[in-house]
Amino acid sequence: MRSRFFALMALLAFAFPVLADPPMTSLKIEVKTYTEKPIDRASVIVKFSPGRNYVKLGKRTHTAWQMKTNQEGVAKIPPLPQGNILIQVIAKGYQTFGQTFEVNEAERTIEVKLNAPQPQVSAH
């Protein structure tokens, strides 16, 4: 009986770290032009979707935010789980930006530089 108790306690000790919440990160996104001028009111979309959450019996974890930059061109994202994060930036008068970043730090600042629109090219 005593060995079963210790076996159960050992199993629970190993199970709790797996059931714990994943490490979180605070993300700050700075949107600028290539001449280092901040772009205000740019739409910033952040999506995190790494896979399955074993605490919720395999249910997918979807986390997404959409916000605008302030006058300094900065968008602060609430804490989100660490992992691969897709960042999309849309600003009027600039090319759309989209890239996946791997975030493994407790705090991270990502600088995004937007291009001016390029002339249209026709293949005809």
Side-chain angles (χ1 to χ4, degrees):
M1 183 70 172
R2 185 172 265 189
S3 63
R4 285 186 189 174
F5 175 74
F6 286 122
L8 179 62
M9 293 305 287
L11 179 65
L12 289 176
F14 288 114
F16 280 122
V18 173
L19 297 177
D21 289 332
M24 304 297 273
T25 186
S26 296
L27 193 61
K28 185 168 100 171
I29 300 170
E30 296 178 354
V31 181
K32 299 179 180 181
T33 64
Y34 274 98
T35 59
E36 298 294 323
K37 180 182 170 191
I39 300 174
D40 65 334
R41 307 222 12 100
S43 292
V44 177
I45 302 162
V46 177
K47 294 181 183 179
F48 171 79
S49 180
R52 307 279 178 195
N53 186 344
Y54 296 107
V55 175
K56 295 182 180 178
L57 302 174
K59 188 175 180 181
R60 290 201 76 147
T61 302
H62 291 283
T63 308
W65 288 271
Q66 181 174 357
M67 51 188 31
K68 300 251 184 205
T69 57
N70 58 16
Q71 290 180 343
E72 289 84 33
V74 176
K76 294 182 182 177
I77 310 298
L80 68 152
Q82 294 180 3
N84 290 331
I85 297 168
L86 173 67
I87 296 176
Q88 295 176 314
V89 179
I90 303 167
K92 188 173 184 174
Y94 295 93
Q95 287 183 343
T96 300
F97 171 87
Q99 186 174 346
T100 302
F101 294 91
E102 185 170 344
V103 178
N104 294 324
E105 302 92 15
E107 291 185 17
R108 177 144 182 212
T109 300
I110 296 176
E111 188 172 308
V112 174
K113 294 192 177 191
L114 297 181
N115 285 329
Q118 303 298 314
Q120 185 173 353
V121 177
S122 179
H124 303 311

